[in-house]
Amino acid sequence: RIRSISIFLIVILLFLFLYYGHFDCPIKKLFNISCPGCGMYRAVTEIFNFRILNSLNYNIMALPGLVIIFLFQIGLIYDFIKDKNVCLKITFNLLEKYYTVIIIIILISYGINLYRGI
């Protein structure tokens, strides 16, 4: 139960940081190349301002990422209300089974972002 609450709070803090905060990408600063997360701040800001198509220009993975985080939050709330760990078990099972697919998707989005010069 404590784990569910702490994960819920961490994700909420992440949302607040993405909406109000800003930082320079350490990978871009050190190596002068974009990382898979480059443009994510601007993309999420565009999504929060209801400019979905503009957000895709900054980072393609922002919209699916926010949808996944939103669904995860709903699962954590369900776990908290029902006092279960269903969401965490499903999440860890999916990560365990499909980690290579997740890595490939991240690399493809990284390649698309590099190609577009973001």
Side-chain angles (χ1 to χ4, degrees), residues 48-115:
F48 286 154
N49 290 318
F50 303 105
R51 295 188 289 252
I52 307 299
L53 294 177
N54 286 345
S55 75
L56 297 176
N57 290 328
Y58 291 119
N59 194 318
I60 289 177
M61 293 303 292
L63 186 60
L66 283 177
V67 169
I68 290 170
I69 290 172
F70 178 73
L71 293 175
F72 187 71
Q73 287 297 306
I74 291 173
L76 287 177
I77 291 169
Y78 172 81
D79 285 352
F80 180 72
I81 291 171
K82 297 289 186 175
D83 198 21
K84 297 182 178 182
N85 283 330
V86 176
C87 181
L88 292 176
K89 288 178 186 175
I90 290 172
T91 303
F92 289 125
N93 286 339
L94 287 174
L95 287 175
E96 186 178 49
K97 289 180 183 176
Y98 300 109
Y99 69 93
T100 54
V101 173
I102 293 169
I103 291 172
I104 289 171
I105 290 171
I106 291 171
L107 290 175
I108 288 172
S109 71
Y110 175 59
I112 292 170
N113 286 339
L114 277 179
Y115 178 74

Side-chain angles (χ1 to χ4, degrees), residues 14-28:
L14 178 66
F15 266 119
L16 291 173
F17 178 75
L18 287 173
Y19 189 73
Y20 293 110
H22 180 68
F23 66 95
D24 293 330
C25 177
I27 293 175
K28 191 154 187 148

